[in-house]
Amino acid sequence: EGRDPGMGTVDLSEAFSIRMNGMITNNVMLDREKTPRITIVVMAIDGGTEPEGPHMTRANVIINVLDVNDNAPIFSNKATTEVYEANIKNDKPVGESVIQLKARDYDDGNNGAIRYNMSRDNDKTPEYFKINPTTGIITVASPLPKTDYTIIALTVFATDNNGEGLSGKCKVNIQIFGENKYSPKLSDKLYKVSVKESLPVPSIILRISAEDLDPSQYFKEVMYELEGGMIDKFSINSKTGELSVTRPLDYEQTQLHRFTVRAYNHDDGTNELKEDKATIEVHVVDVDDEPPRFSQREYNLTAHTEDNNGTVIKVIRAIDPDSVGGRVTY
């Protein structure tokens, strides 16, 4: 029988065998990352007979599983095809940090000691960046190109056993941009849309669009958000500009919802706001979803025996809150 302090009590009856000469052998492949330490109990029984024998004694045998380098480093504990992205201005000085990459290795000691190195995907690209082999920090190595927009593609390797063992890799795209010259422009200053109050939720009711004239793809990207006090029933997709109803509308409660949409893009570090705003009006269209209502549930009227036929006793009225089908008949 055996115990593993890290894994709880385990059945080792099939994992180990002991021969008649006391030699212990393993029957399965051991995994230090799962079970680094195993305690087994060995029993020795003599050949005595009753009533004095047989006699038995026990001894604990502690097995420390030694590490071998059988695990390659992994970036962010995900697949090695993961792409990291960093965005920097083209005036970032030499020596400044851009991004730090972290890989982990499940092996122990030197087998898990990681060293980093990298290569350019395009050999014709100047060496604008370098990586610290121990920290994984990528820094600017030389003055950056003064273009509006450039992408530098790198492959970073993490190698264990201090750079002599197994390797994992990941892709890094560094986007270098210049000045954010233009603000995004919305296609309208006032968006109007009519929506039936019976519309199921969630439903897309409008698509907001904006254009940005910047040559840089980084600054061409427009994002959207809603502002104002009447947006609790609406949401906007920050990337596509699709406006959706997220909670049921009620014509009898609110016929018009008015709020602001903001289109903006990335800050270039100057803190100069690049944005545009417009008003959205959502007009709720009534549907016949409310029954007529009397002013009271019971009327007590008085009629006189001498009243002629056709005498008006009382006029009672019911009101329908709907604007559609609101004409009441009795």
Side-chain angles (χ1 to χ4, degrees), residues 3-218:
R3 299 183 303 277
D4 169 17
M7 303 289 290
T9 302
V10 294
D11 181 10
L12 301 176
S13 59
E14 297 182 0
F16 296 94
S17 299
I18 189 168
R19 300 177 183 177
M20 296 298 294
N21 61 2
M23 180 181 292
I24 299 173
T25 60
N26 64 298
N27 301 324
V28 297
M29 187 73 71
L30 302 179
D31 189 340
R32 188 204 64 85
E33 286 71 42
K34 291 182 178 178
T35 313
R37 179 186 173 99
I38 300 170
T39 300
I40 61 176
V41 179
V42 176
M43 294 172 286
I45 306 173
D46 65 17
T49 58
E50 295 182 354
E52 290 81 9
H55 299 92
M56 180 181 68
T57 187
R58 295 170 179 255
N60 288 337
V61 178
I62 299 173
I63 301 173
N64 294 304
V65 183
L66 301 179
D67 188 39
V68 295
N69 194 7
D70 57 351
N71 291 282
I74 299 175
F75 284 91
S76 294
N77 202 26
K78 295 182 180 179
T80 56
T81 55
E82 182 181 4
V83 177
Y84 293 84
E85 292 187 348
N87 304 299
I88 60 173
K89 283 199 69 176
N90 58 16
D91 59 357
K92 198 173 186 67
V94 172
E96 285 284 313
S97 173
V98 176
I99 187 175
Q100 182 174 18
L101 304 177
K102 283 283 190 181
R104 63 183 302 180
D105 193 300
Y106 291 101
D107 289 313
D108 194 25
N110 283 338
N111 291 333
I114 295 174
R115 303 281 288 184
Y116 299 93
N117 64 86
M118 69 181 186
S119 66
R120 293 160 291 159
D121 289 7
N122 183 353
D123 291 336
K124 296 181 180 180
T125 303
E127 293 186 358
Y128 293 120
F129 305 99
K130 63 181 180 180
I131 190 168
N132 186 300
T134 56
T135 65
I137 296 176
I138 296 177
T139 56
V140 179
S142 62
L144 300 174
K146 302 303 180 184
T147 55
D148 287 318
Y149 184 72
T150 303
I151 295 181
I152 306 296
L154 305 170
T155 300
V156 175
F157 300 90
T159 306
D160 61 19
N161 196 17
N162 285 313
E164 301 294 333
L166 304 175
S167 294
K169 65 180 181 179
C170 69
K171 295 289 185 180
V172 180
N173 289 336
I174 300 178
Q175 302 181 65
I176 305 171
F177 56 85
E179 180 186 356
N180 188 1
K181 299 178 181 178
Y182 301 99
S183 296
K185 295 296 180 184
L186 289 160
S187 57
D188 287 295
K189 283 298 181 184
L190 176 62
Y191 295 90
K192 291 184 178 182
V193 60
S194 296
V195 179
K196 288 185 177 181
E197 63 175 335
S198 59
L199 184 74
V201 293
S203 291
I204 297 172
I205 59 173
L206 184 64
R207 188 180 188 280
I208 308 297
S209 62
E211 183 181 13
D212 194 294
L213 298 179
D214 276 290
S216 163
Q217 285 297 118
Y218 182 66

Side-chain angles (χ1 to χ4, degrees), residues 197 199-203 231-235 244-250 253 257:
E197 63 175 335
L199 184 74
V201 293
S203 291
I231 61 174
D232 60 312
K233 296 179 183 292
F234 305 91
S235 68
S244 299
V245 178
T246 57
R247 295 172 61 186
L249 302 176
D250 189 344
Q253 187 179 62
H257 296 266

